[in-house]
Amino acid sequence: MKESVDQGAENTRGRLTLADLTDYACMTGEPVEDAWGVSRVPFSPQAARLSAELAANVYDLDIRAWARAGWNDCMFLVEDDVIPLDQESDTKLAALENEWRRRRARSRIHGVSPISDLARAARQLMVTDMSKSVVMTRALPDGRVLIAIAFIGTTTKIYDWFSNFKFSRENGLHNGFLELARRFDALTAQVPLRSLGAAGNDEELTLSQVLDRAAQPESPYLFWLCGHSQGGALVQVYTHLLLARGIRPEAIRAYSFAAPTVAACGAVERADAFPIYNIINSDDVVPRVGAQVRLGVDCVFYPDDAFRQAYYPVKPESRAAFERMQFVASQVRETSDAFCWCVAMLRLLSGDGSEGDADEWLAALFPHASLLQRLNLRPAEVADFFMGKLRTSCLTLCGHAPDESLCRRYEEMMRTFAQELGTRPLAQAIGQCLRLPHAIRPDKHAPDDAVAPYVAIVRRYCWALTFGVWGGTPPACCRDAQGERLLPMGRHFLVEEESADAPAQGGVHPEMENNGYEQ
């Protein structure tokens, strides 16, 4: 490691979270027994901020600040490609080459051409190999080594969403997420850790070899995992794979953001015992769907109206429609509810509305609606195709078809709101209520000082997180140490008496008091 890099890294801070990228002390804590009787490294606000910064940065494969901050062996894993950054030279030529490598990797993630994307989409229907991640290493002063693995969430490419909807289970785990985690694991043999290897006179060292050695007693390796959305799901599943290969829980520090559920009830012996902290915005629909339970500890934040006004960028003229759809979204408390909501929205594409209304709904529900229209697919045809997929997926995951009474209720609510507010505003509001509470990066058109909700939570509201774990038999739910239910919540119009189970605002974890962060 170059001395000049260390000196220049002293004041390196994350662009989004303002976290000091050279402060790795938060990753060196020792496990203590928590409220659930699990020996686990305590939650660290600084580690949460670093994790959010990296989880957001990797969407654009922009890890240059991390390299400047002293992280080594920085590389991108995109599908079958392992693309390293050259950290051996500070020349202008090396900088240009690194930028070319980053752009090459980004083109694989964000799109090359319509024909290439269509071919990859056809492939993803049969296999799952769209693995996307970043790997970095750092030697610690105490002789240990920190290996950072950041999983990239779902991008705007249509086929990147296919894994999310592979709901079948293998060993009780969501099949799509499990296949992606295994794909990453298979690539580790191709990941060279030259800087780390040079320090130990092992120039051929690979990540796969490090993983094998990490299972040995007194191993010096620590693993830091992070990711947002689909990336957060992979944090959970890959942690499961690491533990299965013998790596000790105390060697893992894992933070996920907006992660869906990944396992069936009873799929793992103790879902609450995993060394993972899942940071959840309770307004976000995505963490309520996927499978049935999350692994590790949920760190739930309950926004108030002031938070929503500050961090959900909705124009005043769109606020009424957004709030209506946010109310509808709040009724989705688990994956089976989400299936019903999707059925209701698809019926709006094939119902008795005008063709113009159906086109508005199509544009709102499908980011690649223009591609579907180029294929001369009418909204009703798109709805019929996905309706069959939804019913099959619901049967596979939940063991029953979508609840018809709930489907009708969602449909009636949205039709009523559409009549009051107009189809276009409400269709746009669907996308907003799914996207805005879920964001970890500002929109590309947002002001320079804009802060996304998940970044705001770790920057300013760690003190307000409420901690809980998943367990028990179906229907699964997350409860705090006192047994109060945290997530899922919602469906107030169906189960009024459940309001007594809703957690009180607050419930701050004792370790979060007086943590010195922005409040």
Side-chain angles (χ1 to χ4, degrees):
M1 190 182 301
K2 296 183 180 180
E3 184 177 349
S4 60
V5 172
D6 287 341
Q7 290 174 348
E10 289 180 359
N11 297 316
T12 302
R13 291 195 173 271
R15 178 173 53 87
L16 301 175
T17 65
L18 308 181
D20 182 355
L21 305 188
T22 68
D23 182 5
Y24 46 79
C26 59
M27 301 292 178
T28 62
E30 296 299 325
V32 297
E33 185 172 305
D34 64 14
W36 295 276
V38 176
S39 181
R40 188 167 16 223
V41 176
F43 177 91
S44 163
Q46 172 66 0
R49 297 174 84 178
L50 287 172
S51 299
E53 184 74 34
L54 184 55
N57 293 163
V58 296
Y59 274 103
D60 293 320
L61 297 178
D62 189 2
I63 56 173
R64 290 168 293 185
W66 296 87
R68 291 194 301 269
W71 290 84
N72 296 301
D73 296 315
C74 302
M75 64 196 71
F76 315 123
L77 281 68
V78 182
E79 298 180 13
D80 290 327
D81 230 351
V82 177
I83 306 173
L85 285 180
D86 182 6
Q87 296 172 265
E88 298 301 320
S89 174
D90 295 327
T91 67
K92 184 176 293 187
L93 180 61
L96 289 172
E97 184 177 358
N98 279 334
E99 182 61 20
W100 176 81
R101 289 176 176 177
R102 190 171 73 91
R103 289 175 182 268
R104 172 181 152 209
R106 287 186 66 189
S107 71
R108 298 289 296 274
I109 291 178
H110 297 295
V112 180
S113 70
I115 294 176
S116 176
D117 286 354
L118 188 60
R120 293 182 184 184
R123 176 176 173 79
Q124 294 305 309
L125 289 172
M126 295 174 282
V127 300
T128 301
D129 62 1
M130 186 57 187
S131 179
K132 318 175 298 298
S133 54
V134 165
V135 173
M136 309 184 301
T137 69
R138 182 160 198 147
L140 304 180
D142 61 5
R144 291 186 292 179
V145 177
L146 186 60
I147 312 291
I149 302 173
F151 294 104
I152 302 172
T154 310
T155 68
T156 56
K157 297 173 77 168
I158 188 169
Y159 60 79
D160 199 15
W161 288 81
F162 291 176
S163 298
N164 297 340
F165 300 120
K166 293 182 178 179
F167 290 108
S168 59
R169 300 174 187 167
E170 183 176 343
N171 299 324
L173 297 175
H174 185 290
N175 187 256
F177 302 146
L178 180 59
E179 287 181 0
L180 287 173
R182 284 176 172 167
R183 186 61 190 164
F184 170 82
D185 201 51
L187 284 174
T188 58
Q190 302 175 36
V191 178
L193 303 179
R194 295 190 178 93
S195 177
L196 186 60
N201 297 317
D202 186 359
E203 295 182 359
E204 303 300 320
L205 184 66
T206 66
L207 180 55
S208 179
Q209 291 172 324
V210 166
L211 290 169
D212 290 338
R213 297 174 187 179
Q216 299 172 2
E218 306 303 324
S219 164
Y221 299 111
L222 301 176
F223 295 90
W224 169 32
L225 278 60
C226 65
H228 169 259
S229 194
Q230 182 192 85
L234 294 186
V235 166
Q236 298 172 73
V237 176
Y238 196 62
T239 298
H240 184 274
L241 296 183
L242 291 179
L243 296 175
R245 69 190 299 165
I247 294 176
R248 297 164 291 114
E250 57 266 28
I252 300 172
R253 288 93 171 101
Y255 287 78
S256 79
F257 301 86
T261 50
V262 301
C265 289
V268 296
E269 186 173 350
R270 284 196 64 180
D272 64 337
F274 283 72
I276 308 169
Y277 292 101
N278 305 298
I279 297 174
I280 303 297
N281 176 3
S282 68
D283 280 351
D284 188 358
V285 175
V286 172
R288 302 179 224 150
V289 301
Q292 291 177 311
V293 303
R294 256 184 302 279
L295 308 180
V297 179
D298 276 9
C299 315
V300 184
F301 176 71
Y302 298 98
D304 57 16
D305 288 340
F307 182 94
R308 297 181 182 107
Q309 290 280 349
Y311 301 111
Y312 302 168
V314 179
K315 295 180 180 178
E317 62 270 23
S318 303
R319 178 65 61 177
F322 173 75
E323 290 178 350
R324 294 290 184 89
M325 284 314 305
Q326 194 175 33
F327 169 76
V328 177
S330 73
Q331 316 307 313
V332 177
R333 67 175 191 176
E334 57 192 5
T335 305
S336 61
D337 292 352
F339 282 126
C340 295
W341 191 25
C342 290
V343 167
M345 288 191 285
L346 289 175
R347 286 177 178 173
L348 297 173
L349 294 181
S350 56
D352 54 7
S354 68
E355 189 66 28
D357 286 348
D359 287 338
E360 297 285 1
W361 286 115
L362 182 68
L365 300 180
F366 296 94
H368 297 271
S370 59
L371 176 60
L372 299 175
Q373 290 167 342
R374 287 179 188 175
L375 297 175
N376 293 321
L377 292 173
R378 294 181 292 112
E381 294 171 330
V382 175
D384 288 343
F385 173 79
F386 282 102
M387 194 75 77
K389 295 293 184 183
L390 276 176
R391 293 185 182 280
T392 300
S393 297
C394 191
L395 283 168
T396 299
L397 182 65
C398 306
H400 56 77
D403 183 338
E404 181 57 30
S405 63
L406 185 55
C407 292
R408 285 198 302 268
R409 184 60 188 254
Y410 283 133
E411 183 182 5
E412 290 169 3
M413 292 175 69
M414 289 191 292
R415 287 193 185 280
T416 299
F417 292 158
Q419 291 171 359
E420 294 176 5
L421 301 168
T423 300
R424 177 180 293 239
L426 201 66
Q428 293 174 340
I430 292 176
Q432 288 180 321
C433 76
L434 294 175
R435 186 180 72 255
L436 299 184
H438 186 63
I440 197 170
R441 301 181 302 162
D443 184 84
K444 61 182 179 180
H445 302 298
D448 292 340
D449 60 349
V451 178
Y454 276 96
V455 167
I457 290 170
V458 297
R459 273 178 61 173
R460 298 167 180 162
Y461 297 100
C462 280
W463 61 273
L465 295 174
T466 304
F467 291 64
V469 297
W470 293 72
T473 57
C477 66
C478 178
R479 297 183 183 273
D480 66 15
Q482 288 73 46
E484 295 293 327
R485 192 171 77 183
L486 305 185
L487 291 173
M489 300 178 65
R491 288 181 67 180
H492 308 302
F493 62 84
L494 288 178
V495 194
E496 296 292 343
E497 64 272 17
E498 289 188 356
S499 61
D501 289 338
Q505 297 294 323
V508 178
H509 194 278
E511 294 169 1
M512 302 311 304
E513 295 178 358
N514 301 318
N515 57 43
Y517 285 85
E518 296 179 68
Q519 298 185 15

